[in-house]
Amino acid sequence: MSRMRLTDPLHEPQNAVPGDRVRRAWALIVLTLLIPGAAQLVAGNKRFGRLALRVTLTVWALLLLTVIIALVNRGFLVSLLAHPVVLAILPFLLLALMAGWVVVWVNTFRLCRLAILPPRWRGPVAGVLVVLMVLSGGALGYGAYLLNVARGTLNDVFDAGRPPFDPVDGRYNIALLGGDAGAGRTGLRPDSMSVISIDATTGASAIISVPRSLQYARFPADSPMHKFYPDGFNNCDPDPLNCLLNAVYTDATDNHKDLYGAGKNAGAEATKDAISGTLGITIQAYALIDMDGFAQLIDAMGGVKMRVGAWVPISGGMLPGSDTRHVKPDGWIKPGNQTLNGFQAQWFARSRENVDDFARVQRQQCVQQAMLKQLDPTTVITKFEAIAKAGAHVVDTDIPQGQLGGFVDLTGKAKGQASVRMTVGPPDFPAGFSLADPDFDLIHQRVKALLAKATGDTKASAATAPSGTVSEDGTPLSAVAVSGGAQASGPLATAVQPKAADQLPPDFPLSTTRPDGDTITEAYLNSLYDAQDYEMLDILLAKNGNCAAL
């Protein structure tokens, strides 16, 4: 007959058999890991255990509530977590939880009574307990650090004082300005300008690119700049370049910096107004991103996946004493499916060797779509710190911090929907459309048609578009136009431009062969530069605006 165990291993381990002592120690460690305070409640100071357990249950309840809110209204949750007061408090709460859990672990270490454990179990029990203490406390400490990084980034980037704005005609319209104030440049002039228009209900988006070389941009009647340029931005004297759309930023910064009030970025605000008047829609906010910050953000994301249609030169520049850009590049981006790092994506978006600005605009749109598509929750969570720090390179934005939740919610809705896009110029406008003397009524009509198409109103899209510019399925058709807006002649005047890049099939053909059928190589392209055969380069690189986000 076996001897009955009359001792209580939990409270009197010294009287228990060695096996029960070991099992008791492991049980206390598991309880402290899963339910901090439970080990003290069953085997130690009950008052301390009840206090720790109340904290644990409160944290669990808050986590459960967070999950429920995330499932029901993710936008509200993001807005709550992005609130300056909440962001300031949360890191300290996590640090307090970390300190409390460490105290519980230390107390559990004492409760395990290592001295009465069999010698061969003392090391493993102590080692596991210390490792778990470091991992659990370290996780909370690192969480507090990441929250502090997020707080710094949000405070640096977004406008905490501006109240959230309402959609206009059911859409949010945000201007994206790509700034480049590098060496050899006077001040900052946006190199790229586009508008992302998002349906406030469905998240359906449209991207409208506006060439920086567009002249005589219109200002809405309520814009402070309208009284200076009532007939459009005609600041052409003494330099015609001062008439271009991207010169609005410099003009407002240098000459009208007080128009928009103290603390405002007059250049960005004026550019936002100019884009509003030009497109015939209300631009509610802007984000100005410098090119270095753009490259860092791409790297933080792990690159962007892209199908590149033709060879794209890296670097290059202007020939001395010439208005043509035919300097031999420093490298090349090859056609095909690939992942572009920050440096490559930066040049993919800005390169204009041997092509016009419209091919570059198409590539910029592809990069924007790739970022929207690939900046998913998993990427944000796993690479949060790098993305947050890169995000601080956004030079300026007037997007309210309190608006972030709603935009995150809309971004989630937009994930499963195709985005439509348009460029003010080729290939989306007919031959003869001139950036030097734009037809603003035509621009307004085309923008209205595009937004109707983005909303799913194909009938309104077809009815609004100018006659002869929409196919039977509502897809815009465009006659070939040339850079600078000059009238095309001969067969080109009536030809139809291929579909825009977002309408290309996922496996659209690549430009990888020469007219004679031989394969295009980097060495061959460089030899054409050495021979100054720019005509052949123009032919081979003509379709490098063809691209698609993967």
Side-chain angles (χ1 to χ4, degrees), residues 306-312 333-338 510-512 520:
M306 193 82 61
R307 182 168 177 81
V308 179
W311 291 81
V312 178
I333 298 171
K334 299 179 180 180
N337 295 352
Q338 53 184 286
L510 307 176
S511 298
T512 57
I520 301 173

Side-chain angles (χ1 to χ4, degrees), residues 426-427 429-433 468-469 477-482 485-497:
F429 277 68
F433 177 82
T469 62
L477 297 178
S478 310
V480 169
V482 297
Q487 176 69 46
S489 60
L492 295 180
T494 56
V496 175
Q497 187 80 348

Side-chain angles (χ1 to χ4, degrees), residues 25-88:
W26 287 123
L28 294 177
I29 290 174
V30 171
L31 284 174
T32 301
L33 177 65
L34 301 178
I35 316 173
Q40 285 70 30
L41 193 63
V42 300
N45 187 318
K46 295 186 181 299
R47 182 178 179 182
F48 177 60
R50 282 193 291 269
L51 176 61
L53 194 59
R54 288 192 190 102
V55 174
T56 299
L57 295 178
T58 300
V59 171
W60 278 9
L62 290 175
L63 289 176
L64 179 61
L65 180 62
T66 300
V67 171
I68 293 173
I69 295 175
L71 294 174
V72 175
N73 192 338
R74 183 176 58 171
F76 171 76
L77 178 63
V78 173
S79 295
L80 178 64
L81 296 178
H83 193 281
V85 175
V86 175
L87 277 177

